[in-house]
Amino acid sequence: MSNDVLSISQHFREYEQPFIQQVLDWVKQADDDYRLILTRFLNPREQYILQTLINRQSGLRSYLYGGVDGAESQRAIIAPEVFEVKQEDFEIGLLTVQYPKKFATLHHSTILGTLMHLGISRDVLGDILFDNEETNWQIIVDQKMLAYIQQTVTKVGRVAVNLKAQSLSEALPVLTNWQEQFALMSSLRLDVVISSIFQLSRSDTKTLIESGQVHVNWMLAQKANLEISVNDLISVRKHGRAQIKSLDGRSKKDKLKAIVNVVQR
């Protein structure tokens, strides 16, 4: 393991250290055994950490794929530079949700909630895809879990469903409802960022955080003073999601100028 890889890991957050250690273990396996390592589905922050570490490791490369262009959740492959990585190496399957569309309506949260309630780990699930009308739904999954999920999921909420396995070539395109906006922030503290983006008071924001209604990179955020970085994904229950895409210096009043992607609820 290069000293550069180990030193860069020290610049990440304390709660991210277990994942960093997991990446370093994957790197060691790929390097020592001279073989391809396939990971679980990773969120964007995990993808960033993995690529940051692998880019500093001589002789290895990382590849990301989520089953469809623009997927948020993606699996990674770590492999020696000389290896040729193919799409099928990512072992990704696709399930189309069949249900009585004339009489029932499905939602992203209901589908994901059903899967979680049945004990299906988020790690084996990729993106949940839908069309503009939100009537056609597909689930990207770990190929090895495809048959189990098919057999286990027979209802979404109260709606009877059938999950049909299909080729990834039949996947719906990723639809993004992000809206780009400009924001001024006095700092990158979590409470300040949320207040600035969603136009909430600091006291309301603190209440949301303390009551467990805020997640950062899919992890429960419990500290209002958590420092947010570019590409962190913030989810605020009943308000929406936000992600700082870039910082562009400071304003005349010494506030940070940020470009933010936001989904309002």
Side-chain angles (χ1 to χ4, degrees):
M1 193 73 60
S2 70
N3 290 331
D4 193 22
V5 172
L6 293 173
S7 63
I8 197 68
S9 69
Q10 299 172 7
H11 296 286
F12 292 103
R13 303 181 180 108
E14 183 178 351
Y15 72 80
E16 293 173 329
Q17 293 304 314
F19 177 70
I20 290 168
Q21 185 56 56
Q22 175 68 79
V23 174
L24 297 179
D25 289 343
W26 288 332
V27 167
K28 189 174 188 305
Q29 291 174 36
D31 196 30
D32 290 352
D33 300 340
Y34 201 68
R35 64 184 178 92
L36 175 155
I37 300 295
L38 175 63
T39 77
R40 56 177 173 78
F41 281 99
L42 307 177
N43 65 50
R45 176 63 177 177
E46 291 172 329
Q47 295 165 31
Y48 169 74
I49 293 172
L50 181 141
Q51 289 187 304
T52 299
L53 296 175
I54 301 300
N55 288 344
R56 289 164 172 77
Q57 178 66 28
S58 176
L60 295 177
R61 291 189 64 184
S62 62
Y63 307 83
L64 293 169
Y65 183 56
V68 63
D69 290 342
E72 183 175 89
S73 296
Q74 301 191 42
R75 302 189 81 175
I77 283 178
I78 303 168
E81 289 179 334
V82 298
F83 278 37
E84 180 182 354
V85 174
K86 301 176 182 178
Q87 180 176 306
E88 52 264 34
D89 293 329
F90 288 89
E91 300 180 10
I92 292 176
L94 178 71
L95 293 169
T96 292
V97 184
Q98 299 179 323
Y99 68 103
K101 298 176 184 177
K102 289 185 179 181
F103 308 104
T105 302
L106 299 183
H107 299 282
H108 185 287
S109 58
T110 310
I111 295 172
L112 181 59
T114 296
L115 295 167
M116 299 295 97
H117 181 72
L118 292 171
I120 297 170
S121 172
R122 191 68 180 89
D123 293 351
V124 303
L125 302 174
D127 283 20
I128 296 175
L129 306 173
F130 52 91
D131 60 6
N132 283 310
E133 290 74 32
E134 296 191 16
T135 56
N136 293 307
W137 295 87
Q138 296 176 331
I139 310 168
I140 295 176
V141 302
D142 182 331
Q143 184 72 46
K144 293 178 179 177
M145 293 293 293
L146 190 147
Y148 173 78
I149 293 173
Q150 275 186 297
Q151 295 166 8
T152 304
V153 181
T154 58
K155 283 188 176 183
V156 171
R158 297 181 179 180
V159 180
V161 301
N162 177 60
L163 301 185
K164 179 183 178 182
Q166 289 191 278
S167 166
L168 287 175
S169 63
E170 301 296 321
L172 295 167
V174 172
L175 295 182
T176 175
N177 48 3
W178 291 106
Q179 293 184 341
E180 187 174 279
Q181 68 182 50
F182 176 77
L184 290 172
M185 306 171 186
S186 58
S187 76
L188 290 177
R189 278 176 52 119
L190 178 60
D191 56 348
V192 173
V193 172
I194 293 174
S195 297
S196 301
I197 293 173
F198 295 105
Q199 304 300 307
L200 299 169
S201 69
R202 291 283 291 277
S203 61
D204 286 344
T205 299
K206 182 179 179 182
T207 299
L208 286 169
I209 295 170
E210 291 179 346
S211 60
Q213 298 186 64
V214 176
H215 287 75
V216 176
N217 298 324
W218 292 266
M219 295 187 67
L220 183 65
Q222 298 176 305
K223 294 182 179 180
N225 65 352
L226 175 68
E227 193 78 3
I228 297 301
S229 299
V230 172
N231 290 329
D232 281 346
L233 184 65
I234 304 168
S235 299
V236 184
R237 188 177 182 186
K238 296 184 179 180
H239 291 278
R241 308 168 83 201
Q243 186 177 44
I244 297 176
K245 297 306 297 180
S246 65
L247 297 172
D248 187 25
R250 291 183 176 272
S251 68
K252 292 181 179 179
K253 294 185 178 180
D254 201 34
K255 289 194 173 183
L256 292 163
K257 296 187 290 184
I259 301 298
V260 186
N261 279 345
V262 182
V263 176
Q264 300 277 359
R265 289 180 182 169

